[in-house]
Amino acid sequence: MSRPNILYIHSHDTGRYVQPYGYPVPTPHIQRLAEQGVVFRQNFCAMPSCSSSRAALLTGMMPHNNGMLGLAHRGWALHDYKTHIVHTLRKAGYRSTLCGVQHVARDASVIGYDEILQPASGKAEEVSGAAAEFLRGRPPRPFFLSVGFNETHRVFREPGSAEDPRWCRPPDPLPDTPETRRDMAAFKASARALDAGMGAVFNALDAAGLAENTLVICTTDHGLAFPYMKCNLTDHGTGVMLILRGPGGFEGGRVCDAMVTHLDLFPTVCDLLEIERPAWLQGSSLLPLVRGDAEEIHDAIFTEVTYHAAYEPMRAVRTKRWKYLRRFDGRATGVMPNCDDSPSKDAWLAAGWRERPVAAEQLYDLVFDPKEACNLAGDAAHAEVLAELSGRLDRWMRETADPLLRGRVPAPPGAKVNPADGLSPNEPVVPAS
């Protein structure tokens, strides 16, 4: 069989809130993909911010190594766009096509795709239509096709009859109120549109006779755009769906519970294609997991935040049992501009969220406290665990030359940054000098 095509299909701000992960969010097309492929239940993004997460997946490097420490449309960029996966794939004979949202460059033309389709918007119905037309056109093979949807980014769609707020439950960090239920109903309406768009692409792949020899990589950038989720290093923010279907063992409706990360996708593709891995890759191949040669490929996952709308430097290490998180900005309270405006945010603000203290060090027992609500960093009974994970984080930062080791990380000249003491990402920004 010839080298497989690759369909990288991705959403915005969806976390794991889709049907295959057990949430009451009907996504039948994504569910069908899961039943045919492999679902990674414990997959994590590298940084729960839009551009940084995508850049990490597509370069195989942490954001503080690839340069994407903030949002592309606000002034950040990769140190070298030649590290993007399309350039490695081109050497292996692949033609690359971009359709829809990409968010790793202000100008998509600098990335290096061979072809950029131009749907009218990033909405699911328009992106999926353009992608389906591409697939029906008998594209040259092998191809790498990136299909990016704006859904489920805010502003959400209006709930329909299938999303009656009376029967909705808000995400785990939030109280169950009429406001948060309606907010979640609107998310579910956007998820319905996302699923329909993905389904149209999957159906086109089937109709074109391409499904059997196409590796489908279905994922999202980070957690939902609700408080304590997106732009947070809790599992609510970094835990993301990852479903793979296609050659190499990605089949059978199986579930993998090993901890994995978006950084693992680039080396997986290299190993599947039997091509040399670029020297900069920091992840591990998923193939030993799906082929039964290993039960785990990581004993720890590292995640980070530096900039989103505002500066909020954080680093974390997660093992199967523990999460250790450290903040580096010296602030005693959270950074409100890094949470998108929403009815759920308004509910927290009304209850005093802006003044609520935030600990510089946080330690969570993920067995007894999977929602990460009880900080054990000050508990003497857990001092040994705290010291071990703190030291492990320090070593990782040194090994990866994390710029935070040198102090405050400056924004690029001209970058747009919200003051950390602000309230909304939509308030006036401060251009970096």
Side-chain angles (χ1 to χ4, degrees), residues 41 112 172 181 201 262 331 368 374 381 383:
R41 294 287 295 228
D172 287 332
R181 287 195 293 271
V201 178
H262 274 166
R331 293 178 56 85
F368 290 107
C374 181

Side-chain angles (χ1 to χ4, degrees), residues 13-76:
D13 299 13
T14 310
R16 296 179 184 149
Y17 280 71
V18 291
Q19 187 176 344
Y21 286 81
Y23 290 98
V25 181
T27 52
H29 297 290
I30 299 175
Q31 177 68 28
R32 175 173 171 261
L33 182 75
E35 293 171 358
Q36 297 170 337
V38 178
V39 176
F40 293 87
R41 294 287 295 228
Q42 299 297 323
N43 178 60
F44 300 90
C45 66
M47 178 168 159
S49 178
C50 312
S51 299
S52 305
S53 171
R54 297 164 190 271
L57 186 158
L58 291 163
T59 65
M61 285 187 281
M62 292 298 295
H64 72 254
N65 295 117
N66 65 34
M68 193 66 73
L69 285 165
L71 296 166
H73 68 280
R74 283 176 173 247
W76 276 262

Side-chain angles (χ1 to χ4, degrees), residues 7 11 28 42-43 75 81 84 94 117 128 178 244 299 301 323 332 383 395:
L7 169 61
S11 68
Q42 299 297 323
N43 178 60
Y81 279 90
H84 192 288
Y94 280 75
L117 307 181
S128 62
L244 274 68
D299 61 358
I301 297 290
K323 165 80 66 66
R395 290 192 298 274

Side-chain angles (χ1 to χ4, degrees), residues 320-321 365-370:
K320 280 283 190 180
R321 177 72 184 265
D365 184 335
L366 301 174
V367 171
F368 290 107
D369 181 26

Side-chain angles (χ1 to χ4, degrees), residues 126-191:
E126 289 165 341
V127 171
S128 62
E133 183 178 357
F134 168 84
L135 293 169
R136 287 192 296 266
R138 302 178 64 83
R141 287 171 252 175
F143 62 77
F144 174 85
L145 172 62
S146 172
V147 179
F149 300 101
N150 191 60
E151 290 83 8
T152 52
H153 196 283
R154 293 186 184 270
V155 177
F156 296 150
R157 302 202 178 197
E158 276 298 308
S161 58
E163 297 92 24
D164 190 323
R166 292 178 296 174
W167 323 128
C168 285
R169 175 182 170 181
D172 287 332
L174 296 169
D176 185 0
T177 69
E179 294 78 17
T180 58
R181 287 195 293 271
R182 177 169 175 79
D183 208 7
M184 189 58 181
F187 168 84
K188 290 173 71 173
S190 290

Side-chain angles (χ1 to χ4, degrees), residues 394-411:
D394 289 337
R395 290 192 298 274
W396 173 77
M397 292 177 69
R398 290 194 298 270
E399 290 166 0
T400 60
D402 193 325
L404 266 182
L405 294 171
R406 300 189 297 272
R408 182 183 176 91
V409 178

